[in-house]
């Protein structure tokens, strides 16, 4: 008996079309990015039975395709575009077209073999959408407050009215987020565990539930790398570079940063850790990044072991 050859599919997603490449067969084709095209693509891929399908996260354009593939069910992984760009540079691929991008994604699937992850359900997608809109409102509110500082007398009333309206919208979104979390017994339990830690408020808790579902399932090193707060080596030969953090989920890291600022004042474990780092000569930003990793590690352990905040156990997390 012969073993069937593994096949890997890369799909480049654009607004109007989907470019598909299959490795190692070298087959390529294009379908329209609409309902008919999605149906035809899913049927053709089901007959192919690929080992793995890879597509990039493209700001939402990939959601319908990823959902259709996962429902088929077909093994699909949605990857960070930065990973693919770095992979392209490592292989010396400089040219860029939609077809070449699809072939590169198929090669990435074959070489890197990213793990297929289940797509968030409808409730998780709704939570993510609410959080994204809340971030947009916060950005608008900050911009309007900055404009108010230098605005002329005639414009100030309009800016103040808009600022007041944005505050009301934020309050409404916070209520919607709270109701959505409380509607799910699982989320309600996790939210209760997370918010028992000093410095963790509703925004960080909700962000972790929606944008970091891996929390509590990975090791502390894996979760830190996933968020982008793990120090990475930059050594070569006899040179020893400074450890730096980069990549990861930027929106999670931004919310974690603000919560860590609060934790350095009100969380006894994080505050003591921050003071110890500063006393050892660490720069404020470097010490704060280490505290972000410390707080994330504590929260990861709390969800993994289903325990509420406890200062003694948190010190060893």
């Amino acid at each position: 008996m012969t073993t069937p050859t593994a096949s890997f599919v890369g799909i480049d997603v654009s607004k109007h079309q989907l470019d598909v490449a299959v490795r190692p067969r070298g087959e390529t084709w294009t379908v329209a990015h609409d309902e008919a095209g999605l149906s035809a693509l899913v049927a053709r891929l089901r007959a192919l039975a690929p080992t793995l399908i890879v597509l990039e996260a493209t700001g939402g354009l990939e959601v319908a395709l990823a959902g259709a593939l996962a429902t088929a069910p077909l093994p699909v992984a949605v990857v960070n575009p930065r990973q693919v760009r770095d992979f392209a540079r490592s292989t010396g691929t400089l040219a860029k077209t939609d077809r070449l991008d699809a072939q590169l994604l198929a090669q990435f699937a074959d070489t890197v073999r990213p793990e297929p992850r289940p797509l968030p359900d409808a409730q998780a997608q709704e939570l993510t959408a609410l959080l994204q809109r809340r971030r947009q409102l916060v950005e608008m509110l900050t911009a309007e407050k900055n404009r108010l500082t230098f605005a002329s007398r005639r414009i100030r009333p309009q800016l103040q009215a808009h600022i007041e309206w944005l505050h009301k919208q934020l309050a409404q979104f916070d209520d919607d987020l709270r109701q959505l979390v409380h509607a799910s017994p699982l989320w309600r339990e996790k939210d209760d565990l997370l918010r028992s830690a000093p410095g963790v408020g509703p925004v960080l808790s909700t962000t972790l539930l929606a944008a970091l579902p891996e929390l509590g399932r990975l090791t502390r090193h894996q979760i830190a790398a996933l968020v982008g707060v793990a120090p990475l080596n930059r050594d070569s030969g006899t040179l020893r570079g400074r450890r730096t953090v980069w990549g990861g989920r930027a929106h999670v890291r931004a919310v974690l940063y603000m919560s860590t600022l609060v934790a350095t004042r009100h969380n006894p474990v994080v505050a003591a850790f921050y003071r110890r780092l500063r006393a050892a000569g660490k720069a404020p930003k470097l010490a704060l990044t280490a505290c972000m990793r410390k707080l994330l590690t504590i929260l990861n352990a709390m969800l993994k072991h289903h325990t509420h905040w406890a200062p003694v156990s948190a010190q060893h997390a």
Side-chain angles (χ1 to χ4, degrees):
M1 295 180 63
T2 59
T3 303
T5 304
S7 60
F8 300 88
V9 177
I11 304 178
D12 181 74
V13 181
S14 61
K15 185 175 182 180
H16 300 294
Q17 70 180 38
L18 304 171
D19 288 87
V20 187
V22 182
R23 183 182 175 93
R25 297 169 59 171
E27 191 177 355
T28 62
W29 72 90
T30 301
V31 297
H33 194 174
D34 53 24
E35 288 296 329
L38 287 177
S39 298
L41 177 59
V42 169
R44 187 166 178 176
L45 290 178
R46 288 184 69 177
L48 180 64
T51 305
L52 180 64
I53 304 169
V54 166
L55 50 143
E56 289 180 316
T58 54
L61 289 177
E62 81 288 353
V63 172
L65 172 60
L69 294 173
T71 305
L74 290 164
V76 58
V78 181
V79 300
N80 189 322
R82 180 170 181 169
Q83 289 180 281
V84 180
R85 287 197 301 270
D86 291 342
F87 178 77
R89 284 195 291 267
S90 72
T91 59
T93 304
L94 302 179
K96 182 175 176 60
T97 66
D98 292 341
R99 177 167 292 185
L100 287 176
D101 286 347
Q103 293 171 347
L104 178 66
L105 286 169
Q107 185 181 0
F108 180 88
D110 187 5
T111 305
V112 180
R113 308 283 178 101
E115 180 184 355
R117 295 182 182 272
L119 290 177
D121 56 24
Q123 195 175 30
Q125 291 180 18
E126 183 181 1
L127 184 61
T128 301
L130 285 173
L131 279 170
Q132 183 177 10
R133 181 54 182 165
R134 188 187 186 281
R135 288 197 300 272
Q136 294 169 351
L137 289 173
V138 170
E139 291 172 359
M140 286 189 284
L141 183 58
T142 302
E144 291 292 71
K145 287 182 176 179
N146 291 337
R147 294 186 187 104
L148 184 63
T149 305
F150 305 100
S152 65
R153 183 177 301 177
R154 179 169 294 186
I155 296 176
R156 290 178 70 87
Q158 296 179 0
L159 289 173
Q160 290 170 336
H162 193 208
I163 289 172
E164 183 179 349
W165 180 84
L166 287 171
H167 275 298
K168 292 179 179 177
Q169 288 294 302
L170 274 175
Q172 181 60 55
F173 269 85
D174 287 340
D175 287 340
D176 292 344
L177 287 168
R178 186 162 45 251
Q179 292 175 12
L180 189 57
V181 168
H182 287 173
S184 167
L186 179 60
W187 282 355
R188 190 164 60 244
E189 178 191 2
K190 290 184 177 181
D191 180 64
D192 182 54
L193 292 174
L194 292 171
R195 294 185 61 181
S196 68
V200 178
V203 176
L204 177 59
S205 176
T206 309
T207 300
L208 294 177
L209 291 175
L212 196 64
E214 298 89 350
L215 190 67
R217 303 177 187 173
L218 303 179
T219 67
R220 62 179 184 173
H221 301 294
Q222 290 171 329
I223 202 69
L226 191 60
V227 175
V229 293
L232 302 175
N233 297 349
R234 300 180 68 86
D235 301 335
S236 178
T238 60
L239 299 178
R240 293 294 178 267
R242 292 182 60 186
R243 304 303 187 254
T244 57
V245 296
W246 57 272
R249 299 181 185 175
H251 54 292
V252 176
R253 192 165 58 251
V255 178
L256 180 63
Y257 174 85
M258 298 306 298
S259 294
T260 305
L261 282 176
V262 177
T264 56
R265 296 176 177 87
H266 302 288
N267 186 305
V269 174
V270 176
F273 184 57
Y274 180 77
R275 289 193 299 267
R276 188 164 68 251
L277 291 174
R278 293 289 289 125
K282 300 296 183 183
K285 188 174 182 180
L286 186 62
L288 189 60
T289 302
C291 288
M292 291 168 63
R293 186 167 58 252
K294 178 74 170 178
L295 179 58
L296 183 65
T297 299
I298 293 171
L299 299 178
N300 187 60
M302 288 168 57
L303 287 193
K304 180 177 291 186
H305 301 294
H306 301 279
T307 56
H308 284 78
W309 163 260
V312 176
S313 59
Q315 289 176 348
H316 303 287

